[in-house]
Amino acid sequence: MDSKIPRPMPTERGILAFHERCEAFYPADAVNASIEQQRQWYDALCAEFDAPSPAGLTRQDERLAGRIPVRRYRPAEVATETRIFYIHGGGFVVGSLDSHDAICAELAHGARAELVSVDYRLAPEHVWPAAFDDCYDVLRSLLAGGRPLVVAGDSAGGNLAAGVVLKARAEGLSGIVGQVLIYPALGGDLVSGSYVEMAEAPGLATADVAYYREVLKAPADNPFARPLKASDLSALPPAYITAANFDPLRDDARNYAARLAQTGVDVTYREEPQMIHAWLRARHMSPGAEEGFRHLVHGVARLLGTR
């Protein structure tokens, strides 16, 4: 008798078509390939889902803290002095200013706010805390200008966003008015909940999460590296947290949102029932992803005060 558990799969056609296109560029066993090959696949994948730039939006590339590449986005309509600081995903191994360019542009446009994205150092060439330090240095540089920030990130970027917000609280930095965590990796235990239920989910497997952790070499007990390890989540900025049902990281988002709420933090939590990891890229081909992105923009705008 075959007792194998069926692979969890959504039923929405758009997200299934998205996953099929992703598989053609970035195979499920890509973690077994060289880092160089993984980055080539990822770059090709990102280019496949590029989108036209919103009318009137401008970009400017520069360096902050004397060394860290950033890209500034200014939409045609800016309705607030508060900016978005965006940290891209990619397992701490892949990703760049270009990989999330269209996402950042559309988020800035929809929320009517300037956005700054960061090109942090990647593993395995640069292990913990290189990426974290880069993001925190950019955060401090942006806050030094006196303008408020909403800190946002997806996947590995969600981990970094939550981590730098925790460190900012620890160091008494002011000016962060919101945090946005998009299917974040926050340090769950890998052996319970969604890590088991969605261990073979399309787009990201629990084994992939374990691989990326090993590459990064972050300390398991450091709350800045694994925010779920933080003993106290009080007095943190309001949060918008979104997760995908078909994602081993789902319960990281659920549990973090619940713990924030228990301490009195204003939290909006949204779970996309038909989505898989990295669904942001499917926003122009999946009804569920389009709806999720619309809610994300509204959630960011609420934190910015532009809605």
Side-chain angles (χ1 to χ4, degrees):
M1 183 175 179
D2 186 1
S3 60
K4 184 177 180 181
I5 299 174
R7 185 184 187 192
M9 291 292 287
T11 56
E12 191 213 272
R13 291 182 180 180
I15 202 66
L16 290 172
F18 166 75
H19 175 60
E20 184 176 353
R21 286 174 67 180
C22 288
E23 289 289 276
F25 285 87
Y26 201 60
D29 62 351
V31 294
N32 297 319
S34 69
I35 296 298
E36 180 181 4
Q37 179 63 77
Q38 289 185 48
R39 289 173 181 160
Q40 289 176 359
W41 281 330
Y42 191 74
D43 289 346
L45 169 72
C46 296
E48 173 73 4
F49 295 101
D50 201 7
S53 185
L57 180 135
T58 61
R59 297 165 172 81
Q60 179 180 337
D61 289 355
E62 59 185 76
R63 291 180 183 269
L64 286 183
R67 61 180 181 85
I68 306 166
V70 299
R71 180 168 295 165
R72 296 180 183 268
Y73 299 79
R74 183 176 176 84
E77 181 185 0
V78 176
T80 177
E81 285 295 303
T82 304
R83 291 178 290 186
I84 304 164
F85 173 36
Y86 195 92
I87 307 172
H88 71 76
F92 309 99
V93 171
V94 299
S96 65
L97 295 177
D98 291 337
S99 68
H100 287 62
D101 180 76
I103 291 169
C104 288
E106 291 177 34
L107 183 58
H109 172 77
R112 298 186 296 159
E114 294 181 16
L115 182 150
V116 179
S117 65
V118 58
D119 194 12
Y120 55 84
R121 288 171 290 175
L122 299 174
E125 298 93 332
H126 305 282
V127 297
W128 172 269
F132 181 86
D133 287 348
D134 286 352
C135 293
Y136 194 69
D137 285 349
V138 170
L139 175 71
R140 287 195 302 182
S141 179
L142 293 173
L143 289 174
R147 295 171 59 183
L149 279 180
V150 169
V151 182
D154 68 280
S155 194
N159 168 284
L160 292 165
V164 298
V165 168
L166 284 169
K167 185 172 182 179
R169 182 194 63 176
E171 295 198 344
L173 288 183
S174 61
I176 302 175
V177 297
Q179 56 181 320
V180 178
L181 311 180
I182 305 161
Y183 37 79
L186 300 174
D189 60 19
L190 300 185
V191 293
S192 65
S194 58
Y195 282 109
V196 175
E197 181 187 352
M198 297 296 168
E200 299 298 330
L204 184 73
T206 297
D208 298 331
V209 179
Y211 164 81
Y212 290 127
R213 287 187 185 180
E214 173 58 29
V215 171
L216 184 64
K217 302 189 182 306
D221 60 349
N222 187 319
F224 300 154
R226 299 191 181 181
L228 279 169
K229 297 290 186 181
S231 59
D232 178 15
L233 296 180
S234 64
L236 288 170
Y240 182 91
I241 301 176
T242 183
N245 179 57
F246 293 91
D247 185 350
L249 299 179
R250 182 195 66 206
D251 287 0
D252 279 19
R254 275 187 187 176
N255 294 337
Y256 202 67
R259 287 189 57 200
L260 286 171
Q262 287 167 2
T263 67
V265 175
D266 179 7
V267 181
T268 298
Y269 176 72
R270 181 177 169 86
E271 195 168 293
E272 302 300 338
Q274 282 291 309
M275 293 298 99
I276 64 176
H277 194 74
W279 60 258
L280 282 186
R281 297 197 185 281
R283 65 198 181 283
H284 294 303
M285 63 180 297
S286 155
E290 180 183 18
E291 181 182 5
F293 189 73
R294 184 171 64 252
H295 281 278
L296 171 64
V297 171
H298 288 171
V300 173
R302 176 175 172 267
L303 294 173
L304 290 164
T306 58
R307 293 286 180 188

